[in-house]
Amino acid sequence: METQNIKPIVEAILFSSDAPVPLEKLRSIIETAGTRQIQESIKLLNGEYGAEGRSFHIIEVAGGFQFATHPRYASWIKKLFRGRRLPRLSQAALESLAIIAFKGPIIRAEIEAIRGVNVEGVLKTLLERNLITVMGRQHAPGRPLLYGTTQDFLIYFGINSLSDLPQPKELEEIMSQEQDLFDREEVLVSTEEKHASQ
């Protein structure tokens, strides 16, 4: 099948889906199309949307493809959903989730050792929101549960896979740059205060 004929089919499938559609699923639905043709169709569709100045595009997220609104329209979309706010994650939930994402699969005791507090309630909340899942049991006394992230975690944070997360070295560089910026601002403020008092 020609790529031009595949494009509207890919578009219709992605438009109709309420979740990211993996490439393998697209291939199984469009039996006459190969992986390369489907990827080319998505690339062409995004090219057309960009050329026409559309407010949406196709993104790769959570191991699949999905329509998404361009970030520049976020302020209007927020107004549309005002009053329907998603419950935000607490600082404790975000910290525990980061540990699970970077170190998982991981047991509760290891998360608690890193955070220094009990995480039973936090894990329950994350499980209820389907951001983490039980991936099995550790081969250790008591056979503790191992926790890992889910597909919903990837969707929630808008990433394709855990490998898209910044590496520890990158995080250190970002934190260092922010500290340098903070230090420079401190020097400017102290200099301005000094001149003002003279």
Side-chain angles (χ1 to χ4, degrees):
M1 188 182 282
E2 294 289 320
T3 302
Q4 284 299 98
N5 297 332
I6 296 168
K7 265 191 340 183
I9 299 169
V10 169
E11 187 176 45
I13 293 167
L14 297 181
F15 181 78
S16 302
S17 178
D18 60 351
V21 182
L23 191 56
E24 300 76 37
K25 182 74 173 170
L26 286 168
R27 277 194 58 229
S28 72
I29 295 169
I30 314 168
E31 297 168 349
T32 55
T35 302
R36 185 185 284 163
Q37 286 178 303
I38 293 170
Q39 289 172 321
E40 185 62 27
S41 296
I42 292 169
K43 187 177 177 182
L44 289 170
L45 285 167
N46 274 333
E48 289 173 13
Y49 302 150
E52 295 169 5
R54 296 297 185 98
S55 60
F56 56 86
H57 57 158
I58 298 169
I59 61 167
E60 192 170 2
V61 64
F65 295 93
Q66 185 175 38
F67 273 103
T69 309
H70 277 290
R72 65 179 167 262
Y73 299 105
S75 60
W76 289 280
I77 302 302
K78 283 180 188 172
K79 289 178 185 177
L80 172 67
F81 292 106
R82 191 177 291 149
R84 278 200 264 167
R85 296 178 69 192
L86 288 172
R88 291 182 179 242
L89 291 172
S90 67
Q91 186 67 31
L94 283 171
E95 289 172 7
S96 299
L97 199 50
I99 293 166
I100 295 166
F102 281 102
K103 299 210 174 259
I106 187 170
I107 63 171
R108 179 178 139 192
E110 292 171 322
I111 300 167
E112 290 176 342
I114 294 168
R115 290 208 54 236
V117 294
N118 183 304
V119 295
E120 185 177 0
V122 170
L123 291 179
K124 185 175 183 252
T125 300
L126 294 173
L127 284 164
E128 287 170 357
R129 293 191 58 186
N130 199 35
L131 294 172
I132 63 169
T133 188
V134 174
M135 302 188 77
R137 291 187 176 271
Q138 189 179 61
H139 296 290
R143 308 259 303 138
L145 298 173
L146 287 162
Y147 296 97
T149 57
T150 63
Q151 188 91 351
D152 286 356
F153 166 84
L154 299 174
I155 294 168
Y156 187 90
F157 288 99
I159 57 176
N160 193 38
S161 72
L162 291 177
S163 63
D164 292 341
L165 292 171
Q167 296 304 306
K169 188 172 183 172
E170 293 172 307
L171 290 173
E172 286 174 21
E173 288 173 13
I174 291 167
M175 295 301 286
S176 174
Q177 289 170 356
E178 286 184 5
Q179 185 61 47
D180 288 347
L181 185 61
F182 179 76
D183 292 344
R184 275 187 255 135
E185 286 175 359
E186 285 282 304
V187 169
L188 281 172
V189 169
S190 110
T191 305
E192 287 171 3
E193 287 172 352
K194 195 177 193 181
H195 288 300
S197 64
Q198 291 177 350

